[in-house]
Amino acid sequence: MSVKVGIPRALLYYHYYPQWYTFFDQLQVTVVVSPPTNKHILEQGIAYCLDEACLPVKVAFGHLAQLADQVDFIFLPRLVSVFPREYICPKFLGLPEMVRHSGLPLPPLLVPAINTYRRQSDLMAAFQQLGNTLGRPDGQVRKAARLAQQVQQEYEKLLLAGWLPEQASRLLLGRQAQEQQVRLATELSPSSPPEAPEQGKGRIAIIGHPYLVYDSYLNMNLLQKLTRRQWPVAVVEQVSSTEIQKQTARLPKKIFWTLGRLLIGAGYHFLSAPHVAGLIHLSSFACGPDALIGELIASQARNCPGKPFMNIVIDEHSGEAGLLTRLEAFLDMVTIAGGRAGASA
Amino acid sequence: MRVTFPHMGNLWISLKAMLTYLGVQVIVPPPCNKQALQAGAKWAPEFACLPLKLNLGNFIQAREMGADTIVMAGGCGPCRFGYYAQVEHVILHDLGYNYQLVVMEPPEKHIGELLQRIKYITGQNSWWQVMQGIRFGFRKACLVDQLEKRAFYLRPREKRSGSTDKALQEALATVDAASNWRELEQAKHQAMQRLDEVKTVQRPVLRVALIGEIYTLLEPFANLELEKRLGEMGVEVDRSIYLSEWINDHLFLGLVRGMRSSKAFSQAAAPYLAHFVGGHGQESVGSAVYYARQGYDGAIHVLPFTCMPEIVAMGILPRVSQGTGLPVMSLIVDEHSGAAGVQTRLEAFVDLLARQKRHKGAFA
Ligand code: SF4
Ligand code: SF4
């Protein structure tokens, strides 16, 4: 029997799953992914994680608990930096220790330090470390890592073209991986290519961290709620890195959080994009970086009166009724602002 | 140009000394107060950390006093402090306060950027004079720390309650008033003497370390006067961060010998947290280990609501407490913190420590 490694369906899973999966698969390691977030997972997360942590971190604890007795190892990289001169959030730096000292009974953790603060190529070192821990020869590890990075590039292209993360993963990783994946959150069939993200006037842009935007349990099916009402959505991953770069160049100082930089770049882009009728900033209660990033986007949005902007903050107590009320009011505003063109016909 | 800067405890004494030494016109905002907090909390994002809200309040109040230029520090992450200045500036701008913003931080491109910013503020002064100004400010910071440490010793032992605080305030004012090196030497003696006048009685005291996030440790308004409250309960405190040590670590890169350095704390953290997590998160974990080794009776971990590095520390500190036997209490502060609630929690914690100490037979 091959070694089984568990990957929690949380945090940057939505950014990196195809890469991580490919790497392990190439080393003949079986990958087990925790199921999509549900009530039980959330409850377990709350039980094991300290109260003061943000919702996404709590949920990650729940996913870890799910994997506990199913696998030999759990993959929990220390994501220090995934882009030169940037970090994600201090909580990602300390997550392995927060988990280790939480009392959650877990199999051994694989904790490579992913740190490309100095240069992107340092990613290779993390893969090497990981491969060595698993006792695989250097050559095989290097090959697996290279393929993993290629798959990641393909994945990002699919996201840019309008596929949502789990659809894109499924397309890329094929049948074998498909068995691991549970049903998609959206109603789009994964076999039909998405509508080009720049088309279809009257899109609602959702600006938020992937672990909130693509976790349909946490966001109470926000994306589905919009598509059901005939509002196509636009997401951060659909904005090219050159465009993000162009937009953030206007800031007086470089943003040193990767997710924050993407959010601002996409936010500024959507504020001036003709296909976007309104913006929703989806954030979690007490999120550190978002408190500042959100303010910068909101300040910019105040200067774009034609584009309604709303901030939805979620935590473990958020109720669906409240979300619906706010969403309806927001969509009314977008309609009044004239954004409905094309969509309502 | 009328320059202001944010408050952080007695930092103002040192900054004001440095800038006025160089002939810069300074407007010190009123000490952190309720109005500043209300104004800051009103305009700042809800989940911004308390220091940002108070900074903003300071700037709003200083603007009303005629300040037109903000000088503050910055950074390059991952903690939020590195982007404070820019966000505060945007908020002030949207409110119609047109401030000139000068941020002192590690330059993005080359060191010339930073030097240019310093020149912008210090104008005609030569670099040699600028160095003297910095030295003068640093000297005051060292003195302030010495006075505060002395007060930590005196408070739990004072004969008449409140006499230490009164003496400390007068001593600090003496230091603030000194405007050249000669006056500063005199001020030092006077200030020390003033504290020596406080009458004490020998009594057993508990020793508690205050650890955590720098701003909330140094700013008494933010921590609801934790040091004073504990002193009154018969507790001698020590703080894991003093201004002069911080300046030596971060601005002088440890050049001044013989000072405690936060490096020791990050090293002590290793068994529990072997990686930096931004801000002082790792140091908070390490300082608990350090104070446990020093035989302290307990530690209070102070942090602002939503502070990221300290939330990581908070998740780990219970383990440190288990491993070292040092009782640790976390105190989260924000604009809703009430004095009564804090007082009750402190009393309960101090009671617990006293009981434990009696139990060990170490407390008469
Ligand atoms: S970025 Fe925000 S939501 Fe994500 S881990 Fe950090 S605090 Fe939590
Ligand atoms: S250390 Fe904490 S309180 Fe200070 S700026 Fe960073 S996040 Fe805010």
Side-chain angles (χ1 to χ4, degrees):
Chain A
M1 275 248 308
S2 76
V3 180
K4 269 197 213 154
V5 168
I7 298 184
R9 193 184 296 257
L11 300 175
L12 290 197
Y13 157 87
Y14 296 97
H15 252 336
Y16 291 114
Y17 178 68
Q19 185 184 34
W20 295 340
Y21 173 85
T22 307
F23 180 72
F24 285 120
D25 186 55
Q26 289 296 303
L27 300 183
Q28 277 96 48
V29 169
T30 309
V31 172
V32 179
V33 181
S34 56
T37 309
N38 55 42
K39 188 155 177 264
H40 178 66
I41 291 180
L42 177 58
E43 278 169 359
Q44 284 217 300
I46 293 170
Y48 281 106
C49 188
L50 75 163
D51 266 356
E52 287 70 18
C54 53
L55 183 64
V57 167
K58 286 182 196 173
V59 170
F61 275 66
H63 282 276
L64 290 166
Q66 281 293 306
L67 295 166
D69 47 15
Q70 292 184 40
V71 295
D72 307 305
F73 296 97
I74 289 179
F75 180 59
L76 189 68
R78 186 193 304 281
L79 292 157
V80 178
S81 164
V82 297
F83 197 86
R85 305 279 142 199
E86 290 176 9
Y87 299 97
I88 304 168
C89 159
K91 290 181 194 167
F92 279 80
L93 282 115
L95 186 66
E97 280 82 7
M98 286 174 81
V99 168
R100 276 195 187 121
H101 300 304
S102 66
L104 186 64
L106 291 176
L109 302 178
L110 297 173
V111 187
I114 296 188
N115 188 352
T116 56
Y117 191 82
R118 282 169 211 274
R119 50 192 167 258
Q120 199 62 44
S121 56
D122 284 352
L123 182 60
M124 209 55 180
F127 279 125
Q128 279 296 352
Q129 188 199 339
L130 185 57
N132 294 346
T133 313
L134 292 167
R136 300 296 195 274
D138 281 1
Q140 195 190 1
V141 173
R142 260 197 305 277
K143 220 177 111 211
R146 266 198 301 273
L147 186 65
Q149 279 169 283
Q150 269 168 26
V151 168
Q152 182 66 18
Q153 280 168 13
E154 291 300 308
Y155 179 60
E156 282 166 19
K157 270 187 222 152
L158 288 177
L159 297 184
L160 201 58
W163 300 93
L164 295 177
E166 303 237 25
Q167 305 167 333
S169 287
R170 208 197 286 201
L171 277 176
L172 264 178
L173 305 178
R175 266 213 69 75
Q176 192 186 5
Q178 227 177 85
E179 262 124 54
Q180 314 280 355
Q181 307 269 327
V182 186
R183 287 214 61 79
L184 287 174
T186 63
E187 290 164 355
L188 289 168
S189 139
S191 55
S192 68
E195 192 184 5
E198 302 285 317
Q199 283 168 14
K201 217 169 143 20
R203 280 182 189 257
I204 302 293
I206 316 265
I207 316 168
H209 299 182
Y211 39 84
L212 287 176
V213 176
Y214 306 118
D215 189 320
S216 48
Y217 181 79
L218 291 188
N219 66 36
M220 296 168 281
N221 286 313
L222 179 62
L223 271 59
Q224 216 176 28
K225 283 188 169 70
L226 285 164
T227 41
R228 279 231 188 91
R229 285 170 179 70
Q230 312 297 318
W231 287 99
V233 296
V235 292
V236 175
E237 286 75 8
Q238 293 164 357
V239 184
S240 73
S241 51
T242 29
E243 176 66 13
I244 301 255
Q245 172 112 43
K246 198 179 109 201
Q247 295 290 346
T248 49
R250 290 157 48 192
L251 290 161
K253 175 177 176 174
K254 178 180 156 60
I255 302 267
F256 46 70
W257 298 298
T258 299
L259 298 183
R261 179 176 54 84
L262 296 175
L263 258 56
I264 289 217
Y268 284 5
H269 166 77
F270 290 141
L271 279 172
S272 58
H275 69 283
V276 169
L279 281 74
I280 296 176
H281 176 208
L282 184 66
S283 64
S284 87
F285 182 82
C287 167
D290 269 18
L292 304 195
I293 295 298
E295 180 65 30
L296 295 176
I297 301 176
S299 167
Q300 194 74 21
R302 282 194 286 272
N303 298 323
C304 300
K307 289 243 167 119
F309 175 83
M310 169 171 75
N311 183 209
I312 295 179
V313 180
I314 48 180
D315 72 357
E316 59 265 44
H317 313 294
S318 296
E320 197 157 356
L323 174 74
L324 270 178
T325 320
R326 294 202 55 209
L327 193 61
E328 298 298 350
F330 174 74
L331 293 177
D332 284 349
M333 243 164 64
V334 177
T335 310
I336 291 165
R340 194 70 192 197
S344 70
Chain B
M1 182 168 56
R2 284 183 295 266
V3 176
T4 193
F5 43 75
H7 270 299
M8 181 166 76
N10 289 317
L11 167 70
W12 66 275
I13 295 181
S14 176
L15 271 178
K16 180 182 155 198
M18 181 188 108
L19 291 167
T20 41
Y21 189 95
L22 296 170
V24 179
Q25 201 184 341
V26 171
I27 295 198
V28 179
C32 283
N33 56 29
K34 231 187 169 151
Q35 288 73 37
L37 180 56
Q38 273 167 0
K42 180 168 178 194
W43 301 112
E46 184 184 359
F47 299 124
C49 23
L50 185 64
L52 186 146
K53 293 178 184 175
L54 278 166
N55 279 187
L56 201 59
N58 294 153
F59 296 149
I60 291 174
Q61 292 185 335
R63 181 71 222 182
E64 283 149 16
M65 295 163 68
D68 54 26
T69 304
I70 292 173
V71 183
M72 68 180 287
C76 44
C79 146
R80 281 181 280 185
F81 184 69
Y83 226 83
Y84 261 37
Q86 285 73 19
V87 172
E88 288 165 358
H89 197 228
V90 164
I91 297 170
L92 288 165
H93 179 267
D94 288 357
L95 287 174
Y97 293 105
N98 288 314
Y99 261 121
Q100 189 67 34
L101 177 70
V102 185
V103 189
M104 303 293 173
E105 61 190 337
E108 265 172 43
K109 294 190 188 77
H110 52 88
I111 189 79
E113 281 175 42
L114 178 61
L115 298 181
Q116 230 172 22
R117 285 178 209 153
I118 298 176
K119 264 279 165 267
Y120 180 82
I121 296 295
T122 58
Q124 296 308 313
N125 288 283
S126 68
W127 286 113
W128 166 253
Q129 282 166 317
V130 172
M131 290 302 293
Q132 291 308 304
I134 294 174
R135 266 189 64 210
F136 190 64
F138 181 64
R139 182 80 190 109
K140 282 202 181 182
C142 294
L143 258 175
V144 166
D145 289 344
Q146 239 176 320
L147 296 172
E148 287 188 333
K149 279 184 199 166
R150 186 77 190 130
F152 291 162
Y153 175 85
L154 293 171
R155 262 195 209 108
R157 299 176 173 91
E158 64 190 7
K159 208 166 187 175
R160 210 158 32 86
S161 88
S163 54
T164 309
D165 275 312
K166 194 155 168 282
L168 177 64
Q169 288 319 318
E170 289 173 20
L172 290 172
T174 311
V175 172
D176 174 43
S179 57
N180 58 43
W181 289 99
R182 200 175 42 81
E183 283 176 26
L184 188 55
E185 275 315 296
Q186 286 167 358
K188 179 188 166 182
H189 291 295
Q190 273 178 32
M192 286 299 174
Q193 222 167 31
R194 181 64 190 89
L195 278 176
D196 285 340
E197 285 163 14
V198 175
K199 296 226 167 35
T200 57
V201 284
Q202 275 316 313
R203 56 166 80 107
V205 298
L206 287 164
R207 290 201 304 157
V208 171
L210 304 177
I211 63 177
E213 190 271 336
I214 181 166
Y215 184 92
T216 44
L217 276 183
L218 294 183
E219 176 53 57
F221 179 77
N223 63 38
L224 296 109
E225 308 206 294
L226 199 54
E227 293 164 1
K228 206 163 123 189
R229 283 172 201 278
L230 287 164
E232 282 164 3
M233 291 175 203
V235 175
E236 182 181 340
V237 299
D238 188 29
R239 228 200 263 137
S240 60
I241 301 173
Y242 289 92
L243 197 56
S244 56
E245 292 169 356
W246 185 88
I247 296 174
N248 187 34
D249 269 353
H250 292 86
L251 299 181
F252 303 162
L253 307 171
L255 244 58
V256 180
R257 297 295 175 86
M259 285 186 105
R260 189 174 69 175
S261 159
S262 62
K263 249 191 223 126
F265 292 156
S266 8
Q267 276 157 12
Y272 301 97
L273 176 60
H275 202 282
F276 87 102
V277 293
H280 289 90
Q282 194 187 14
E283 284 88 338
S284 291
V285 170
S287 59
V289 177
Y290 168 88
Y291 283 111
R293 286 188 198 141
Q294 301 281 315
Y296 271 70
D297 299 305
I300 297 178
H301 176 220
V302 193
L303 67 154
F305 177 58
T306 77
C307 172
M308 307 173 289
E310 298 300 336
I311 284 175
V312 174
M314 195 178 164
I316 299 169
L317 279 169
R319 269 305 157 93
V320 180
S321 190
Q322 254 177 33
T324 60
L326 181 82
V328 181
M329 169 181 126
S330 283
L331 185 67
I332 300 178
V333 290
D334 70 356
E335 66 265 36
H336 309 296
S337 305
V342 168
Q343 182 72 15
T344 317
R345 288 196 56 208
L346 291 181
E347 278 168 9
F349 186 62
V350 169
D351 262 4
L352 170 107
L353 300 184
R355 244 180 295 133
Q356 280 195 358
K357 198 162 186 176
R358 254 193 312 263
H359 194 68
K360 283 189 216 147
F363 208 30

